[in-house]
């Protein structure tokens, strides 16, 4: 007779086969131990919490059971699904775009922050803080059609490499989180990204990398303008912010776009706190349903980075203080993850 | 050997059975004619265009074939899926809310447009046009939590009745469009609402009435504010417009929320023109894929209403002028629909 854990394992694996998400092995065989759905997770309480959540939420008759259509899981991206150091990858993209666009923009040679970027002096370029970042993002994300922008992102994702790991940025995704995404989908969960990053920056590669389709990616956005060019409609990206999908904006966006309270939420910083609170509180109409709110804590300077309360990128302070009282599960990257990146030896 | 049409019929019906969308009959039987997927449509070119579109887009190897994940169909709501006369149903809801909320708002007794609404004089109440409408909407849609608002909409949908038909408003949906929704879903299309109406006004009843889940409903929205009340998170509706999902806003919202170009779009007014243009132009990366852009023209004063170029509600003018050159299919309600509403005798 299977134990509870092996039941969840079998369920995850069978679903995974059914959905065709893996072709690594032949059909499951009842007589042998089912493959581990979370092989990159150590056998710690964090891993148990995930497997228990999947078991309870998908077992009909269990008090925590969640009807399939209500199985919504939301993931922050930067620092939760992929790395965010030494700078947000979208900023790395924008800086690479400044260099690529410079020949057509002679005015940038004498204008900050572009001048310093082109001189290779990032420290000076970004000395102005958020204002400089917004200026770089606007200058490199606007003034073209949405189709042109998607192409620029795809080209960058295929060619740019992370400075520390010498890997494509899209390879700097956390292997344990890919397994978690697959395990939740195997349990019938619809997985969403709810990120402060730009929605149009994520879509060109996120489907391939995370298995999350474009319509399940929510992010910050700039305004677009519909135009007929020679009779053909295009959407032109304007240098104006439409929505910042961060902090209190995250539950607001979830409500506006999904229209359901998530059953599971995953984040890594105070920017995710409101989303974690919103999820952990549960749906007042169905208080008994299982829910899972999880914080990925960066504790591994050797394999990744170690940062939390004092970090300018991915600051994790208030959310950590509230973890115990609100029932957030804190994942300690160093202790809980057997492997961080797939490319690790 | 089945004809092309009966092939499409069989495909629609088989899909419908598979997806469990109907339990009205027992398993399909190859030896008898498959049930008509569009029984409320007359046998006219509009109906043929729909069936041909479904056949071509879902037949592997056909030049118009659309991969399943790209099968996106977007529907306007007011005047396309349900009626919009004598006033937008959301305005009828708001007016009913003014009456329901009046006991707690003694100040409304002397303040327009509320005073006239409470006196039963809608003409005076709405004399100020759009400004009055916005004021009524804001006063009745804001200042409560999203959960409270959803409850108010559900209560109204269950009790309010359309003045002409003496039916619940949610029964004043077009039977031919319900069949079209089911037929497209049977062909693997993901059906979305993209409406100028409020997203939170549509969600409480649209899943039940149209079979469209909350995350596939896009609409106009007000801002919300995340708050902790006694430690519990709520979203409070603010009296501020966040987004108007109309005209050029429709393709912008489709791009922002869905991130794919729709293969099919259905509208009834100039407010849908940009969405129809965007869809009819097709995806530049896949110009051969089938697409369908359709206008529902209100031509039946007896069973519904007859209005187009001069109507203040659902004005259809420019979109009609462009129909031929852009390949929009125009549905003539009177000629093309055997039945308008399910409640018709």
């Amino acid at each position: 007779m299977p134990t509870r854990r092996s039941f969840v394992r079998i369920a995850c694996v069978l679903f995974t086969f059914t959905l065709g998400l893996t072709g690594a092995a032949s059909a499951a065989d009842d007589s042998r131990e089912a493959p581990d759905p979370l092989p990159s997770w150590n056998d710690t309480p964090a891993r148990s919490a995930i497997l228990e959540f999947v078991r309870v939420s998908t077992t009909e008759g269990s008090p925590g059971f969640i009807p399939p259509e209500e199985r919504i899981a939301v993931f922050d991206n930067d620092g939760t699904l992929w790395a965010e150091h030494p700078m947000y990858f979208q900023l790395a993209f924008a800086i690479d775009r400044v260099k690529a666009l410079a020949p057509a923009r002679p005015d940038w040679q004498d204008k900050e922050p572009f001048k310093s970027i082109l001189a290779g002096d990032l420290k000076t370029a970004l000395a102005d803080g958020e204002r400089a970042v917004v200026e770089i993002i606007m200058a490199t994300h606007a003034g073209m059609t949405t189709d042109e922008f998607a192409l620029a992102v795809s080209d960058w994702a295929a060619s740019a490499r992370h400075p520390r790991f010498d890997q494509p940025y899209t390879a700097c995704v956390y292997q344990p989180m890919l397994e978690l995404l697959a395990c939740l989908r195997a349990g019938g969960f619809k997985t969403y990204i709810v990120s402060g990053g730009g929605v149009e920056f994520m879509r060109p590669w996120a489907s391939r990398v995370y298995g999350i389709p474009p319509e399940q990616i929510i992010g910050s956005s700039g305004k677009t303008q519909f135009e007929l060019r020679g009779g053909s409609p295009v959407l032109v990206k304007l240098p104006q912010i439409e929505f910042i999908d961060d902090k209190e904006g995250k539950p607001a966006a979830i409500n506006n776009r999904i229209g359901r309270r998530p059953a599971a939420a995953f984040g890594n910083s105070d920017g995710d706190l409101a989303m974690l609170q919103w999820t952990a509180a549960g749906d007042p109409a169905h208080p008994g349903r299982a829910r899972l709110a999880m914080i990925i804590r960066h504790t591994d300077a050797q394999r990744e980075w170690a940062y939390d309360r004092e970090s300018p990128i991915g600051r994790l302070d208030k959310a950590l203080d509230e973890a115990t009282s609100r029932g957030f599960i804190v994942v300690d990257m160093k202790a809980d993850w057997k492997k961080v990146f797939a490319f690790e030896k």
Side-chain angles (χ1 to χ4, degrees), chain A:
Chain A
M1 190 151 153
T3 61
R4 279 189 168 188
R5 170 172 298 164
S6 72
F7 174 80
V8 173
R9 283 186 180 186
I10 292 167
C12 277
V13 169
L14 284 179
F15 270 116
T16 306
F17 276 109
T18 309
L19 297 172
L21 291 172
T22 171
S26 58
D29 178 346
D30 276 356
S31 68
R32 63 165 190 253
E33 177 80 345
D36 183 351
L38 300 174
S40 302
W41 291 72
N42 286 319
D43 195 2
T44 58
R47 174 194 154 93
S48 304
I50 294 167
L51 293 177
E52 182 63 7
F53 168 74
V54 174
R55 188 189 69 78
V56 167
S57 61
T58 60
T59 303
E60 214 148 348
S62 129
F65 179 73
I66 304 172
E69 69 276 11
E70 295 287 344
R71 292 184 199 157
I72 304 288
V74 292
F75 290 79
D76 169 57
N77 185 40
D78 298 307
T80 298
L81 292 178
W82 74 355
E84 59 185 351
H85 279 246
M87 67 176 79
Y88 291 124
F89 293 1
Q90 188 170 0
L91 182 55
F93 161 75
I95 287 169
D96 287 346
R97 286 296 289 166
V98 168
K99 296 173 191 163
L101 295 169
R105 295 297 302 266
D107 55 312
W108 283 354
Q109 296 295 336
D110 299 310
K111 195 184 166 196
E112 291 294 3
F114 309 102
K115 182 184 169 184
S116 293
I117 290 174
L118 297 173
D121 179 4
L122 272 189
K123 207 176 156 188
T124 305
L126 301 176
D128 214 6
E130 201 176 318
R131 219 180 63 174
V133 171
V134 169
E135 197 164 352
I136 296 166
I137 296 281
M138 288 303 174
T140 54
H141 286 58
M144 68 195 100
T145 69
T146 50
D147 288 336
E148 289 162 353
F149 183 75
L151 207 62
V153 173
S154 292
D155 287 348
W156 177 85
S159 59
R161 295 180 84 82
H162 189 281
R164 172 172 166 189
F165 301 115
D166 191 27
Q167 294 281 339
Y169 283 92
T170 51
C172 303
V173 297
Y174 304 130
Q175 180 60 26
M177 297 305 284
L178 295 181
E179 294 164 9
L180 173 55
L181 282 166
C183 182
L184 285 169
R185 287 196 288 258
F189 280 85
K190 213 164 171 176
T191 53
Y192 281 83
I193 289 175
V194 179
S195 167
V199 65
E200 298 201 271
F201 171 70
M202 294 183 280
R203 282 190 178 132
W205 51 267
S207 297
R208 172 176 54 83
V209 172
Y210 300 135
I212 299 178
E215 62 268 30
Q216 286 161 230
I217 299 177
I218 298 169
S220 297
S221 56
K223 287 188 182 165
T224 57
Q225 184 170 288
F226 182 83
E227 281 179 18
L228 293 175
R229 289 188 175 173
S232 293
V234 292
L235 284 169
V236 180
K237 288 172 70 63
L238 302 179
Q240 294 168 38
I241 291 170
E242 180 174 63
F243 180 70
I244 299 290
D245 186 36
D246 198 26
K247 299 191 177 81
E248 287 76 11
K250 290 198 175 197
I254 289 168
N255 176 66
N256 183 262
R257 313 297 169 86
I258 307 176
R260 307 186 195 261
R261 182 91 66 135
F266 304 87
N268 77 301
S269 79
D270 284 358
D272 303 312
L273 175 56
M275 174 170 86
L276 293 164
Q277 290 171 332
W278 182 244
T279 302
D283 184 342
H286 305 280
R289 286 184 186 162
R291 44 199 184 265
L292 178 65
M294 197 167 246
I295 296 173
I296 311 301
R297 189 175 183 184
H298 295 261
T299 53
D300 194 331
Q302 201 170 355
R303 295 184 298 175
E304 207 246 5
W305 282 272
Y307 58 93
D308 47 29
R309 294 186 188 274
E310 304 298 330
S311 176
I313 299 173
R315 179 194 179 96
L316 174 64
D317 186 45
K318 213 161 164 262
L320 210 49
D321 289 339
E322 290 193 17
T324 306
S325 66
R326 294 205 181 263
F328 305 156
I329 309 284
V330 178
V331 172
D332 179 319
M333 203 177 255
K334 191 172 181 176
D336 292 332
W337 287 0
K338 209 172 281 176
K339 188 174 225 184
V340 175
F341 300 112
F343 57 73
E344 270 173 30
K345 272 162 208 146

